[in-house]
Amino acid sequence: MAHIVGGITTSHVPAIGRAIAKNLQDDPYWKPFFDGFKPVHDWLAKARPDVLVVFYNDHGLNFFLDKMPTFAVGAAPVYTNADEGWGIPSLPPFTGELDLSWQVINHLVGADFDLTTCQEMRVDHAFTLPLALCWPDQKWPVKVVPVCINTVQFPLPSAARCYKLGEEVGKAIRAWNSDARVAIMGTGGLSHQLDGERAGFINKDFDLAFMESIVHDPKWATQYSIEELVEKSGTQGVELVMWLAARGALGEKVTEVHRNYHLPISNTATGLLVMEPST
Ligand code: DHB
Ligand code: FE
């Protein structure tokens, strides 16, 4: 059976793509952020995942406001990136792990999650940039399964529902008839708000409490409604539900391997955690 080697939760911001394209990693503005990924590279070298399951939200590249699935799982042989309008270079395509995609889809539908299944799917900065932070040479050593959660157009699925989705994805992976080493990723948050009268809103106290809860008390944030999470973390900060899904997939207890928190990057407070399941 497949083995979950660990998980990475991180923020995503389009400006990271521009910094990579311009080689600004050692620039004083960017260094504390990019340096946070050095321990991730060391961990990945030891954990050697074959497959990466990524919880993220699309921002209008693959799904637009006319068709917005709450949960969508990729089942494509290849996932391509394209310019979303930020003017940053597109990253190389990602190879799909079809067998695991269908394992996850069958398991989730069996567990009463109503999904959209995507046999063609483009992936945006929320998927591509965290992978580029993990593998700066952009020669992706993993096959991927994208799991997309709507945090763009209301109504959004609750934090509790996203955690449960992650738990079921974890069960599907552990039941997969394969000897593959699987890592989990969740991308989004932490606190930020891009629009409206609270544009620029950041809540460091909440972010730090949330990161601590992800390690030691992972259902803590599921006590809050989406509206309460928006109030605490900003309209786009609610992307933190990806961290809950990823954490749900890792199982009951985890060991923390690495943590970084830095603000701001663009308008966003950025967080990073690496965790391994405790046995
Ligand atoms: C920013 C953050 C995001 O999560 C995003 O998807 C787009 C932009 C920002 O801070 O600029
Ligand atoms: Fe985003």
Side-chain angles (χ1 to χ4, degrees), residues 16 18 24 39 56 75 82 115 143 166 169-170 198 203 223 249 260-261:
I16 299 163
R18 191 179 146 272
L24 298 178
Y56 74 108
L115 302 176
K143 291 185 176 176
V169 168
R198 286 205 312 170
N203 186 347
Q223 69 180 295
N260 192 38
Y261 181 80

Side-chain angles (χ1 to χ4, degrees), residues 24-258:
L24 298 178
Q25 290 86 342
D26 289 324
D27 182 278
Y29 178 87
W30 286 101
K31 195 169 166 40
F33 173 76
F34 278 97
D35 279 357
F37 282 83
K38 289 181 177 167
V40 182
H41 304 156
D42 296 340
W43 178 75
L44 284 167
K46 282 189 222 131
R48 289 175 293 104
D50 306 302
V51 184
L52 187 68
V53 175
V54 185
F55 296 95
Y56 74 108
N57 59 295
D58 181 87
H59 302 71
L61 179 69
N62 193 69
F63 302 116
F64 199 59
L65 304 181
D66 58 335
K67 298 178 195 73
M68 186 57 73
T70 302
F71 300 120
V73 181
V78 66
Y79 302 94
T80 53
N81 181 217
D83 185 10
E84 301 162 49
W86 302 101
I88 54 178
S90 297
L91 298 194
F94 304 84
T95 305
E97 173 46 82
L98 275 176
D99 198 41
L100 180 56
S101 282
W102 288 109
Q103 165 74 9
V104 167
I105 290 163
N106 283 316
H107 180 95
L108 286 177
V109 173
D112 295 336
F113 278 92
D114 304 314
L115 302 176
T116 299
T117 301
C118 303
Q119 298 188 58
E120 281 183 15
M121 196 178 195
R122 295 198 295 181
V123 286
D124 79 352
H125 70 273
F127 183 99
T128 61
L129 296 177
L131 269 83
L133 289 164
C134 288
W135 293 286
D137 66 3
Q138 299 179 13
K139 292 185 181 136
W140 321 123
V142 285
K143 291 185 176 176
V144 299
V145 176
V147 181
C148 188
I149 301 177
N150 168 35
T151 55
V152 169
Q153 177 163 257
F154 281 72
L156 313 187
S158 70
R161 186 78 174 141
C162 295
Y163 191 91
K164 180 90 186 129
L165 177 86
E167 284 183 318
E168 294 299 334
V169 168
K171 283 186 210 166
I173 296 167
R174 282 184 282 268
W176 182 33
N177 188 9
S178 161
D179 56 11
R181 300 168 65 79
V182 181
I184 313 291
M185 182 181 266
T187 96
L190 292 177
S191 58
H192 63 299
Q193 172 145 344
L194 302 178
D195 44 18
E197 43 184 55
R198 286 205 312 170
F201 174 80
I202 279 178
N203 186 347
K204 183 175 178 180
D205 289 344
F206 178 76
D207 288 341
L208 295 180
F210 176 69
M211 287 179 76
E212 184 64 16
S213 77
I214 283 290
V215 179
H216 298 293
D217 184 13
K219 290 189 183 164
W220 174 75
T222 67
Q223 69 180 295
Y224 297 119
S225 69
I226 287 294
E227 288 74 14
E228 286 168 330
L229 288 172
V230 165
E231 198 180 313
K232 290 175 190 307
S233 72
T235 315
Q236 283 75 32
V238 77
E239 292 174 344
L240 59 77
V241 295
M242 311 307 160
W243 291 48
L244 293 172
R247 180 63 183 82
L250 291 175
E252 225 161 273
K253 286 210 156 51
V254 295
T255 312
E256 177 177 333
V257 176
H258 173 58

